Amino acid sequence: MRMHSKKLLACLTAAMLAGGCGYSQTVKDGWKETRSLWYTYANVPAQVDYSATGELEKADMDLAVRMLEIDTRLAELERIMSNADKPPTQEWLSGFFRQFPWLGGFAGIRADGQLIGQEPAMPLKPTDFSPLLEAPTEKDRRALRSYVQNTPMGPEVYLGIPLYNADQFIGVIACHFDMRALLKFCAEPEELLIFTPHTVLWPGRYDFAATPASSVDWERTVRHESRGVCANESGSLLWVTRYLANQPLIFAVPVKGSFAPGNGEVGAFAGQEPAAVRASAPETHRSPEIVPDLEAERGVPDVGAPEEESAPAEDVRQGMQLPSPFGPY
């Protein structure tokens, strides 16, 4: 700081002498002549170097590329669900499934837990919407909420938005999906791992138990960090956390080393199953294929690129009687 002040003082003195500052020169004139020296030496303006290309580490680039398409679709789903805070019409629901053909289903649930209706009427997996009826915190009671349920056919990810009549909570509308249905959009899905603090959603081509991710206390870790590297004697993984509403989703890629190959097993790991994941559900599920075509299994055609969403129906709710495939709320 002292050197900086001396340098500034020297510049101002030199400018005054060079300009022949005398008693007849005004302060305004003196500043005009010293201004160029001020921006040259004392307060140099920032400049952008457009010739600098910048480079990411290979692992950072791999992680970004492999999770990009999944992240984009999850962000779009969050955006649509955030604006879906009213009972849906059939027109809205049809447009919703055209835009997100990888979803497993959609449902409306009353505040008392009664299922108003769901689409499809008989989902491929057993469903449990009850954890969505409780807000994570009081301040988040009107926000999106998410959780992961283990089922005999693998984990199911839920995303719901609460419905209110004035300040009265009346229920939730929710969608659900298997994370593996999004792998068809992913570059090299066999080199990507996706999991929550308690559940493996997709292990890539690896045996998840053989990776360093299986021995981390993720519940604690994601509270303090959003990205990092975990390692064991076999190698290391680069990971980053991406939240779906209140549910942390962890994406990881190998950095170095090698891990034992797996068979696509998904489900709860390390005995860290949370209360929201029902105790009656089996802990693991072996995928019949590395990247199963879940849409084909439930008879949903591949409609190609998602269409623009249909505009949500105008909210003409009168006494909670909105035309809806789920009936009145």
Side-chain angles (χ1 to χ4, degrees):
M1 179 63 71
R2 176 178 293 180
M3 291 298 295
H4 182 75
S5 300
K6 288 183 177 179
K7 184 177 181 181
L8 175 58
L9 181 59
C11 290
L12 293 175
T13 302
M16 293 173 66
L17 292 175
C21 267
Y23 292 107
S24 61
Q25 186 178 31
T26 65
V27 173
K28 182 177 180 180
D29 292 336
W31 171 245
K32 284 183 179 180
E33 295 184 13
T34 59
R35 184 170 52 186
S36 61
L37 293 174
W38 173 268
Y39 288 116
T40 300
Y41 298 104
N43 188 19
V44 181
Q47 293 183 337
V48 178
D49 184 359
Y50 292 101
S51 64
T53 57
E55 292 185 3
L56 289 174
E57 295 290 338
K58 182 181 184 302
D60 289 293
M61 181 63 73
D62 289 343
L63 181 56
V65 169
R66 289 167 191 164
M67 70 175 288
L68 174 62
E69 293 299 327
I70 295 178
D71 177 72
T72 299
R73 284 163 175 81
L74 292 180
E76 184 67 5
L77 179 63
E78 287 180 299
R79 185 182 71 82
I80 297 300
M81 288 294 291
S82 292
N83 296 317
D85 56 347
K86 54 192 173 185
T89 65
Q90 188 63 57
E91 179 184 7
W92 184 93
L93 193 58
S94 297
F96 184 72
F97 275 113
R98 284 197 303 271
Q99 186 174 4
F100 305 107
W102 42 270
L103 288 175
F106 188 92
I109 310 95
R110 290 186 188 274
D112 61 5
Q114 179 186 353
L115 183 65
I116 302 302
Q118 62 180 337
E119 182 66 34
M122 296 293 291
L124 183 65
K125 299 178 183 179
T127 55
D128 181 7
F129 298 97
S130 58
L132 296 176
L133 296 175
E134 296 184 11
T137 63
E138 176 60 26
K139 68 181 180 65
D140 294 325
R141 63 192 183 98
R142 291 180 180 267
L144 285 172
R145 50 191 71 170
S146 177
Y147 97 104
V148 176
Q149 174 201 13
N150 272 324
T151 78
M153 300 187 70
E156 193 78 351
V157 182
Y158 289 74
L159 181 65
I161 183 74
L163 299 177
Y164 281 84
N165 182 16
D167 201 44
Q168 179 186 2
F169 174 60
I170 60 174
V172 170
I173 56 175
C175 62
H176 53 91
F177 60 93
D178 190 310
M179 185 64 73
R180 293 169 295 177
L182 285 163
L183 296 177
K184 66 181 182 180
F185 305 111
C186 174
E188 297 184 290
E190 68 279 1
E191 296 296 333
L192 178 68
L193 294 81
I194 311 173
F195 51 97
T196 75
H198 307 284
T199 305
V200 179
L201 303 178
W202 171 244
R205 63 185 178 92
Y206 304 106
D207 175 5
F208 188 81
T211 71
S214 65
S215 58
V216 174
D217 182 354
W218 289 109
E219 191 72 44
R220 178 179 179 276
T221 299
V222 298
R223 286 200 300 265
H224 302 284
E225 303 176 52
S226 60
R227 70 186 302 275
V229 175
C230 56
N232 62 11
E233 64 278 2
S234 299
S236 57
L237 296 173
L238 172 68
W239 61 271
V240 65
T241 303
R242 186 251 193 256
Y243 276 81
L244 181 69
N246 58 298
Q247 174 64 60
L249 303 176
I250 304 159
F251 294 78
V253 294
V255 177
K256 62 180 180 180
S258 61
F259 307 107
N263 52 18
E265 192 173 85
V266 295
F269 66 91
Q272 300 178 46
E273 190 173 11
V277 179
R278 298 297 170 240
S280 59
E283 289 195 351
T284 58
H285 166 68
R286 179 172 298 178
S287 303
E289 306 173 27
I290 286 295
V291 184
D293 187 351
L294 297 180
E295 291 181 1
E297 288 181 18
R298 69 170 186 265
V300 178
D302 184 357
V303 296
E307 301 180 15
E308 292 293 325
E309 74 269 17
S310 300
E314 181 181 358
D315 189 357
V316 293
R317 183 167 55 205
Q318 298 293 333
M320 305 312 295
Q321 302 292 319
L322 183 72
S324 167
F326 303 113
Y329 275 66

